[in-house]
Amino acid sequence: MKRILAMLLCLAMIVGIMAACGNDSGNSSAPSSSKTEESSETSSTAEDSSSEAGEPSGEVVNDTNPGTELPIVTTPVTISIAKERHMLDTTTSYNEKASFKNITEETGLTLEFIELAAGTAGEQVPLLLAGGNMPNVFWALLSDSQILQNEDQLVDLKDMLDTYAPNCMKTYNEIQSADWKQIMTTPSGGIYGMLGRYESLFENTGDGIQIINKKWLDAVGKDIPTNLDEYKDVLKAFKEGDPNGNGQADEIPYCFSEDMWCASLTNDMGQFGMGHGGATGNNSNTMYTIIDGKVGPAVNTPEYREFLEYYHDLYKEGLIDQEGFSQNTEVFSNKIKNNQVGTYYSWTALEYLSSEQEKDWVVLPTMKAHEDTVPVANGEVDRSTIQKNKWVITKTCDHPEAALRLWDYLARDVESKMTVAMGEKGELWDEYEDQPGVYYFKVPENTTPEFTFEHMKYTYGTVNDPPLMTKAETPVNDGEISPAAALRDEMVKQVNADFVKKENQLPQLYVTQEATDERSFIETDLFTEVKKFRAQAVMEGLDDASWDAYCKRLEDLRYNDYLQWYQDFMDGNL
């Protein structure tokens, strides 16, 4: 009897110790957040996924089931997630998106979204990193530099992937175009962020593409211009010919905005053979040109001066937007919606216009300044669209295993990933009836100027921020089923011959923190000077003295060192 009592006492002590060590379900505090707890109709194919309940695949650690077993946790756990909202998202909270409506019921996790207002991440994320209120997860918010500067505050996922992210690992090992370990691993050997987006998506190989109002061309009796002289003639006709037919001189022949990611005047550098594709605003891609693997200058060349002089001439004659350097995206978009604009750079016209209005717009093929100019369009041939640092877990998270499993749960199958990206099946994407497991994008016909296709994308999903999809998983744009869905592909096809070739594209690699700091140090003043002079030269003009002084300032600001940095990066020497 004594032996039995002793055994029972020992057993009770062991159970007590295990409970004390394993039942830490605390959570970190978070500002202005919202909880996902409500239940509604399931938005994805949970019963068809690989995440089946009732099949234990290993030891429970920190209240978290390993593998794909559901629920994810054995006791309620709260995860706080910082995410920036998009300006076209009409939801009031991420809780309303299909992927998260039933997340607590499915996983045992309660999600607190820290939703940063659109356009504020650049200001807010450093504050979150520096302050005492860091979220458990940064979703699509941290740059390479921020990762490297804060490794001691982030969870190294390297030894957790096989156990808590088997769905992601399956995807990563199926990637054909890149080495996932090389992309994800920092110089210190750690892995701090998960991969997202698409392995390669044809529509994303390009950036801003110039479109022109065909209805306006017809109204003024002009054809699509093929060179810069014809282009100027068309812009003059737009200005003087009242193509919108309202009897007012309110036309803006060419509209641009330094605030809009794909509509900066730097897009037009490619007409003069400069830039590196994707020339969006004050972006590093505008600062150099790569030919045959060699990094060369862009913003102090004779071609760049010619670019500035040509657009000053257009500015002086009122042929380009007089507010382009100062207006924000909202003002820019309202001019387009008000039928005041003849040409601009866009993703597609559906960004601001209805499906019916979009039919008035056509692609303006890449023009070149001279017959022997090799133009550069905004894109890269076969560009990898894999993005790292999509899901970064911080050390404020008491349950990093559960936070990693949450991302892996969202990655459980193609339909779940697509629900994160574009909302529920049947709205903006669907499955071929005669080809199970093969999907296509679609654009509803009921878009309006107030709720465009782009509004739908960012309202229903996160667009560019789902777990990674391989080429084989990615839906296609089928013009026979949804011509509007295929619109972007058709636009890219018309200009991609001028995209940056594969051998001239930069690698997707981390570099050391020291190298990153050096580049950032040079960029700060260099970018400010280039941006300031570009606006000044276009609006006010330039002469030899002002040009020479500008070039001297670039030299003093270590422009040559900046170019050498990118050459070393290109050569893998950082």
Side-chain angles (χ1 to χ4, degrees):
M1 183 67 177
K2 290 182 179 180
R3 292 178 60 189
I4 294 174
L5 288 173
M7 291 174 63
L8 289 173
L9 180 60
C10 290
L11 181 59
M13 292 175 64
I14 291 171
V15 171
I17 292 170
M18 291 177 64
C21 294
N23 193 28
D24 177 14
S25 58
N27 58 80
S28 61
S29 60
S32 178
S33 58
S34 50
K35 295 189 178 182
T36 305
E37 293 178 334
E38 68 265 37
S39 296
S40 59
E41 183 178 356
T42 301
S43 62
S44 58
T45 57
E47 63 267 26
D48 294 330
S49 76
S50 62
S51 302
E52 297 292 345
E55 295 182 6
S57 53
E59 181 184 357
V60 173
V61 174
N62 198 17
D63 305 324
T64 305
N65 286 312
T68 59
E69 183 182 353
L70 291 176
I72 289 176
V73 289
T74 59
T75 188
V77 169
T78 298
I79 304 290
S80 61
I81 303 168
K83 181 79 172 74
E84 184 179 30
R85 294 182 61 82
H86 193 277
M87 63 175 293
L88 299 178
D89 184 353
T90 64
T91 64
T92 58
S93 168
Y94 263 70
N95 298 335
E96 299 172 23
K97 296 183 186 293
S99 291
F100 305 110
K101 287 181 178 179
N102 302 289
I103 202 76
T104 300
E105 177 183 307
E106 296 164 357
T107 66
L109 299 172
T110 295
L111 308 187
E112 290 186 347
F113 283 107
I114 305 168
E115 303 189 33
L116 310 182
T120 66
E123 174 185 339
Q124 294 296 321
V125 169
L127 296 178
L128 290 172
L129 287 168
N133 226 2
M134 193 181 298
N136 298 155
V137 175
F138 284 102
W139 185 1
L141 285 175
L142 298 189
S143 66
D144 285 5
S145 179
Q146 288 169 327
I147 293 285
L148 297 177
Q149 290 170 355
N150 295 279
E151 284 185 87
D152 61 336
Q153 299 189 78
L154 308 177
V155 176
D156 188 347
L157 307 175
K158 180 172 68 270
D159 296 329
M160 299 168 62
L161 295 174
D162 288 333
T163 303
Y164 300 104
N167 294 316
C168 291
M169 289 300 293
K170 180 178 183 297
T171 298
Y172 297 171
N173 288 322
E174 292 174 354
I175 295 173
Q176 299 177 359
S177 60
D179 181 337
W180 67 266
K181 288 183 181 179
Q182 188 177 56
I183 294 173
M184 296 173 71
T185 305
T186 67
S188 67
I191 292 177
Y192 297 95
M194 301 298 285
L195 301 180
R197 211 178 181 192
Y198 306 93
E199 180 182 358
S200 183
L201 189 63
F202 182 70
E203 66 181 55
N204 284 339
T205 58
D207 294 302
I209 295 175
Q210 190 168 13
I211 58 177
I212 191 166
N213 193 318
K214 184 64 168 59
K215 195 172 182 178
W216 280 27
L217 285 171
D218 294 341
V220 298
K222 294 289 186 179
D223 295 325
I224 296 174
T226 60
N227 59 56
L228 294 184
D229 290 335
E230 293 177 2
Y231 183 50
K232 182 177 179 179
D233 287 342
V234 166
L235 297 183
K236 290 180 71 173
F238 283 173
K239 178 178 173 61
E240 300 166 358
D242 190 27
N244 65 11
N246 66 358
Q248 302 176 34
D250 61 348
E251 285 83 0
I252 301 168
Y254 169 40
C255 191
F256 70 97
S257 171
E258 297 293 297
D259 185 58
M260 171 57 176
W261 77 271
C262 70
S264 170
L265 192 66
T266 53
N267 284 306
D268 298 297
M269 289 172 58
Q271 298 163 350
F272 296 81
M274 298 172 296
H276 188 62
T280 54
N282 217 24
N283 185 296
S284 60
N285 288 347
T286 68
M287 301 292 290
Y288 51 78
T289 302
I290 302 179
I291 300 174
D292 297 330
K294 301 300 179 183
V295 178
V299 295
N300 64 347
T301 62
E303 292 82 6
Y304 186 69
R305 176 172 178 171
E306 187 180 9
F307 154 73
L308 295 175
E309 291 173 332
Y310 177 83
Y311 279 93
H312 168 64
D313 182 49
L314 299 187
Y315 184 91
K316 182 174 60 176
E317 295 190 34
L319 303 182
I320 67 176
D321 199 324
Q322 304 293 288
E323 300 176 323
F325 289 106
S326 60
Q327 67 188 349
N328 61 26
T329 300
E330 182 179 4
V331 174
F332 167 78
S333 63
N334 283 337
K335 292 175 179 178
I336 297 166
K337 294 174 184 177
N338 293 336
N339 195 25
Q340 292 179 264
V341 174
T343 183
Y344 68 102
Y345 282 82
S346 74
W347 185 256
T348 75
L350 290 171
E351 193 156 21
Y352 302 124
L353 303 174
S354 70
S355 299
E356 189 62 31
Q357 292 169 319
E358 178 276 322
K359 296 175 183 177
D360 294 335
W361 296 83
V362 296
V363 168
L364 181 55
T366 312
M367 295 177 290
K368 54 184 180 180
H370 305 288
E371 194 60 38
D372 60 348
T373 300
V374 179
V376 182
N378 296 324
E380 297 175 314
V381 175
D382 295 328
R383 171 193 284 169
S384 169
T385 52
I386 298 171
Q387 291 184 340
K388 53 188 170 182
N389 309 334
K390 280 297 182 187
W391 190 260
V392 178
I393 303 170
T394 75
K395 289 184 178 177
T396 66
C397 185
D398 294 327
H399 295 81
E401 301 87 355
L404 180 55
R405 275 221 49 201
L406 171 59
W407 184 251
D408 196 63
Y409 177 69
L410 297 174
R412 63 192 182 275
D413 56 35
V414 178
E415 295 198 4
S416 176
K417 296 176 189 178
M418 281 305 302
T419 302
V420 177
M422 301 287 276
E424 294 181 272
K425 181 180 177 181
E427 288 283 349
L428 305 183
W429 61 281
D430 215 332
E431 185 177 15
Y432 286 100
E433 292 183 2
D434 58 347
Q435 299 181 67
V438 181
Y439 303 90
Y440 59 89
F441 292 108
K442 56 188 287 192
V443 175
E445 297 181 359
N446 60 339
T447 62
T448 67
E450 294 72 35
F451 195 57
T452 67
F453 175 55
E454 294 298 317
H455 283 101
M456 292 179 179
K457 287 163 55 177
Y458 288 101
T459 297
Y460 301 157
T462 63
V463 186
N464 291 319
D465 298 332
L468 182 65
M469 280 177 263
T470 65
K471 290 180 181 179
E473 293 176 318
T474 303
V476 299
N477 286 311
D478 190 331
E480 293 186 6
I481 293 178
S482 180
L487 171 64
R488 174 66 185 182
D489 277 8
E490 292 304 315
M491 291 174 63
V492 172
K493 288 176 184 177
Q494 294 183 59
V495 296
N496 73 332
D498 299 316
F499 284 176
V500 175
K501 304 302 183 284
K502 200 71 177 175
E503 61 270 20
N504 293 324
Q505 296 173 24
L506 294 171
Q508 284 184 292
L509 299 173
Y510 279 103
V511 299
T512 65
Q513 182 59 52
E514 291 75 16
T516 301
D517 289 343
E518 179 187 14
R519 185 197 65 199
S520 298
F521 178 78
I522 297 174
E523 280 179 347
T524 302
D525 291 335
L526 182 64
F527 278 19
T528 299
E529 174 62 33
V530 171
K531 184 177 182 179
K532 176 184 175 182
F533 186 78
R534 181 169 65 245
Q536 178 181 316
V538 170
M539 291 191 292
E540 301 174 8
L542 59 86
D543 55 23
D544 288 345
S546 62
W547 174 256
D548 291 343
Y550 162 73
C551 291
K552 178 62 168 61
R553 289 195 297 273
L554 294 193
E555 183 179 338
D556 294 342
L557 292 171
R558 299 177 59 194
Y559 184 40
N560 290 333
D561 291 341
Y562 182 78
L563 297 175
Q564 184 59 51
W565 191 100
Y566 272 95
Q567 185 65 66
D568 292 340
F569 181 49
M570 187 78 178
D571 297 338
N573 294 330
L574 295 177

